[in-house]
Amino acid sequence: MMYVVSVVLKIVLVIVPLLIAIAYMTLAERKVMAAMQRRKGPNVVGVFGLLQPLADGLKLFVKETVLPSSANIMIFLLAPIITFLLALVSWCVIPIGEGLVYSDINLGVLYILAISSLGVYGIITSGWASNSKYAFLGALRSAAQMVSYEVSIGLILINVLLCVGSLNLSEIVLAQQSTWFILPLFPIFLMFYISILAETNRAPFDLPEAEAELVAGYNVEYSAMGFALFFLGEYANMILMCSLATIFFLGGWLPIYSWTIFYWIPSTIWFGLKTTLLLFGFIWVRSSFPRYRYDQLMRLGWKILLPLSLGWVFLIAGTMISFNWLP
């Protein structure tokens, strides 16, 4: 009984802060974009608009769920649940501090790649089950985009794994105690950041949700909690990808060792600050860049990022073998 209670408590300690972070990520996005466009943003519900995410969540919770008459109802209802659950399941191997991880498995990187590849199914099934041309076209676009950029992400991560010699996410962080990987692998970090923007369907790669062309993409027929679950899944994946970038390139929970004045800051705060900085970059890019055409998106993935990431694999592997630096 005590074991079951401890497992449930661990799950709650992972999911509840994540849901709060997702809620206030939406508020931060609206506030930052408003500031960049010289607007006020949400400022009515609560002090400085701090209760706006709770009001939005309550509104979506109490709205009526509209089911299209021509939809496959069972799959239609199952698709957003799959998307949201897969976004949560990935977090069980993310170390937010030394020893602060739900399951510290040795194949953490493979687990993340496997779960992220399953995320395509929620989107494909939602577009197909909606029985709508707009939703189906958005789902096909999203599936092709996610599969294309997962290849680049996998090859980029091989470069980090060659430097560490382990698939364990905690060991990848500890390998950066002397130097964060963003310094020697800065071009790879830029490629990874561009790839996760496309992987999470964020601007300027938000082709599956192009409002001017597809109304709202694969979730056009969804309302109330179905739409909310897609929304929560998208933002959970954003935070997950920025956390992975923090782990692979920014030293995870490790502090900036040269600045001894910051030694007293807890490791989880360091992890949160680095992830927040990368999330701010997501918002900044959305505010600044126009949307790509779909052929430009595919060209970037297959003809630029894929050859570059493969070339870096050969370069780093060859360098480490030549100088006998293999871990």
Side-chain angles (χ1 to χ4, degrees), residues 82-103:
I82 291 172
T83 301
F84 179 61
L85 287 180
L86 287 174
L88 294 184
V89 165
S90 303
W91 278 90
C92 70
V93 297
I94 300 294
I96 60 172
E98 191 164 8
L100 293 176
V101 55
Y102 180 79
S103 180

Side-chain angles (χ1 to χ4, degrees), residues 34-285:
M36 290 181 175
Q37 297 163 1
R38 298 181 70 83
R39 298 184 288 109
K40 284 186 180 294
N43 64 341
V44 175
V45 185
V47 181
F48 302 116
L50 290 176
L51 298 180
Q52 185 69 49
L54 304 181
D56 291 340
L58 181 63
K59 180 201 74 169
L60 289 169
F61 185 73
V62 300
K63 281 182 73 173
E64 178 187 1
T65 300
V66 179
L67 300 176
S69 57
S70 59
N72 187 320
I73 300 298
M74 181 64 71
I75 301 177
F76 183 82
L77 294 174
L78 199 59
I81 298 172
I82 291 172
T83 301
F84 179 61
L85 287 180
L86 287 174
L88 294 184
V89 165
S90 303
W91 278 90
C92 70
V93 297
I94 300 294
I96 60 172
E98 191 164 8
L100 293 176
V101 55
Y102 180 79
S103 180
D104 194 21
I105 60 176
N106 289 327
L107 297 176
V109 176
L110 287 182
Y111 175 84
I112 291 288
L113 291 175
I115 296 296
S116 66
S117 65
L118 290 175
V120 177
Y121 290 105
I123 291 169
I124 281 284
T125 51
S126 69
W128 181 83
S130 298
N131 203 13
S132 163
K133 292 178 182 177
Y134 288 116
F136 190 56
L137 183 56
L140 289 178
R141 279 184 167 192
S142 183
Q145 180 173 329
M146 292 174 73
V147 169
S148 300
Y149 281 87
E150 274 172 8
V151 179
S152 298
I153 288 175
L155 285 172
I156 288 166
L157 294 186
I158 287 174
N159 293 291
V160 177
L161 301 180
L162 283 171
C163 298
V164 178
S166 173
L167 294 169
N168 185 293
L169 293 172
S170 298
E171 291 183 14
I172 291 172
V173 173
L174 294 174
Q176 302 175 65
Q177 286 182 332
S178 57
T179 304
W180 294 355
F181 287 148
I182 191 174
L183 298 177
L185 304 178
F186 184 71
I188 296 175
F189 168 74
L190 289 181
M191 289 192 291
F192 184 77
Y193 198 70
I194 293 168
S195 297
I196 62 176
L197 280 171
E199 177 71 13
T200 52
N201 298 332
R202 290 288 298 181
F205 308 117
D206 55 338
L207 275 301
E209 302 169 14
E211 294 88 356
E213 307 154 35
L214 299 176
V215 189
Y218 54 85
N219 55 14
V220 65
E221 299 292 345
Y222 284 88
S223 60
M225 282 309 294
F227 175 78
L229 288 176
F230 274 123
F231 195 71
L232 292 171
E234 178 183 337
Y235 277 78
N237 279 325
M238 281 172 53
I239 300 173
L240 174 71
M241 289 299 174
C242 288
S243 299
L244 288 177
T246 299
I247 290 169
F248 289 125
F249 297 101
L250 296 179
W253 67 80
L254 298 175
I256 303 174
Y257 280 102
S258 58
W259 296 359
T260 54
I261 191 173
F262 294 130
Y263 271 147
W264 58 272
I265 299 178
S267 59
T268 51
I269 301 295
W270 275 114
F271 188 88
L273 287 173
K274 295 172 188 177
T275 305
T276 303
L277 180 65
L278 296 175
L279 286 169
F280 175 78
F282 271 53
I283 302 170
W284 196 352
V285 168

